[in-house]
Each structure stands twice: as structure tokens, then as C-alpha cells.
Amino acid sequence: MIKTLDKKEALLNECKELGINVVSNTLPDNVKGLYYSDSETEPVITLNPSIDTQSELCCVIAEELGHYHTSCGNLLSGDTDRIVVLQQESRARRWAYEKLIPLEKFIEAYNIGIRNSYELSQFLDVTEEFLEECICNYKARYGIYKVLGKYIIYFEPLGVLRSFD
């Protein structure tokens, strides 16, 4: 299992390889992170120092990396259409879900005996809220289940079943 620190370091290394500066700076309490880039400066991810846990920090970094990979334009300007902002936020979150919790991780967790969402969030080193949102994302994308090899991953209720053919 990859520990949170390893996951955090991997995410920070990815930022470095992409030329994204990661800094800590005071942000409003309801803003955990912010990605910014324009043609004149290097891209920057700003992290709120009030983030409580390493797991939450990984989730925030992944979402801000998602903005790097999926967003364009200034989402903060008052000129940006609210629907466009919501769509780009959604794409960045989806990218983060798939980065931190690929479908194979559900199978891996099942195979080592993890049977509830608390244990699963601990195993994945993500917050329970992030895990729940990720499951909702996969359910919206695939329906109530997804077949992956010899496994069926159920999103409601969450579970994995191995098929025997």
C-alpha cells in the first residue's frame, strides 16, 4: 500500500515535472486550494495552510492538478459564465478521482479484505468525503456497476464481486 506521504510526494513530483510551483498561502476558509496560470507566469498551485490532514492535502493537490490537465481560462474572473466554471470544476474533480482512486483500487481493497468505506478511505489515503464523491462520480458514469476483468464493482451499495467462469 502506498502511504500518504508517498502519495503526497508523488503528486508534488508530478507538479515539479510539469513546472507547477506549489506554495502555501492564506486563502478564505472555504477555499482549500487554487490553481493559477497565465501566459506571463509559471503555473502555481496555492494550498491553504489550514488543511487538516495529509489525506486531505493529497485530495486538494490532485484536484488542482486536475485543473492543470483539464481547465482553461480564468475561472475566478467575474466575466466567466457560472455554468462554464461548474463544468471545469467537475472535470478537474473527475480527473482527481480517477488519479487517486482508479477502479482497480476497489478490487485491490476487496482482495485484502477491506469491507467498509472507513477502512477503504484509510487504505486509499483519501478523505471519506472524497471517496463518497468519487463513488458517486463512477455511478454517474457507469451506472450501478462496472465489469472489470473477472470482477464486478458495485457502486450502490459499494462492493466487489469476483465472477467465476
Side-chain angles (χ1 to χ4, degrees):
M1 174 171 73
I2 297 176
K3 298 291 181 204
T4 303
L5 188 57
D6 295 335
K7 186 177 286 186
K8 176 186 164 195
E9 291 304 315
L11 290 166
L12 291 174
N13 284 339
E14 183 173 341
C15 290
K16 186 176 181 179
E17 289 171 10
L18 294 169
I20 302 170
N21 289 324
V22 179
V23 299
S24 179
N25 205 344
T26 303
L27 295 168
D29 287 338
N30 63 333
V31 178
K32 299 291 184 178
L34 183 66
Y35 171 75
Y36 177 77
S37 178
D38 66 22
S39 59
E40 297 173 16
T41 61
E42 290 184 3
V44 175
I45 291 176
T46 302
L47 300 170
N48 194 326
S50 71
I51 295 173
D52 294 331
T53 65
Q54 292 296 306
S55 293
E56 184 179 19
L57 186 63
C58 289
C59 295
V60 173
I61 294 170
E63 182 177 348
E64 299 311 323
L65 265 173
H67 282 292
Y68 170 84
H69 288 289
T70 66
S71 301
C72 62
N74 182 353
L75 302 183
L76 298 175
S77 81
D79 299 336
T80 307
D81 184 341
R82 182 80 177 134
I83 293 172
V84 171
V85 170
L86 292 173
Q87 288 172 333
Q88 291 197 31
E89 287 293 337
S90 179
R91 276 195 297 271
R93 290 288 282 188
R94 242 185 350 263
W95 188 93
Y97 298 143
E98 293 171 13
K99 173 78 173 175
L100 296 182
I101 311 175
L103 290 170
E104 295 80 8
K105 287 292 187 180
F106 292 109
I107 295 168
E108 186 180 337
Y110 167 79
N111 285 330
I112 64 170
I114 292 173
R115 298 293 185 258
N116 65 55
S117 61
Y118 172 77
E119 289 176 352
L120 184 57
S121 68
Q122 295 298 303
F123 168 72
L124 296 168
D125 287 327
V126 298
T127 65
E128 286 184 84
E129 178 184 6
F130 188 88
L131 174 61
E132 289 171 23
E133 291 170 359
C134 177
I135 293 167
C136 288
N137 170 69
Y138 281 136
K139 182 181 170 196
R141 184 171 177 185
Y142 298 115
I144 61 169
Y145 70 92
K146 168 77 172 145
V147 176
L148 194 63
K150 294 187 176 204
Y151 294 88
I152 303 171
I153 303 167
Y154 289 94
F155 303 112
E156 191 177 302
L158 181 61
V160 176
L161 180 66
R162 185 175 190 274
S163 61
F164 298 96
D165 356 83

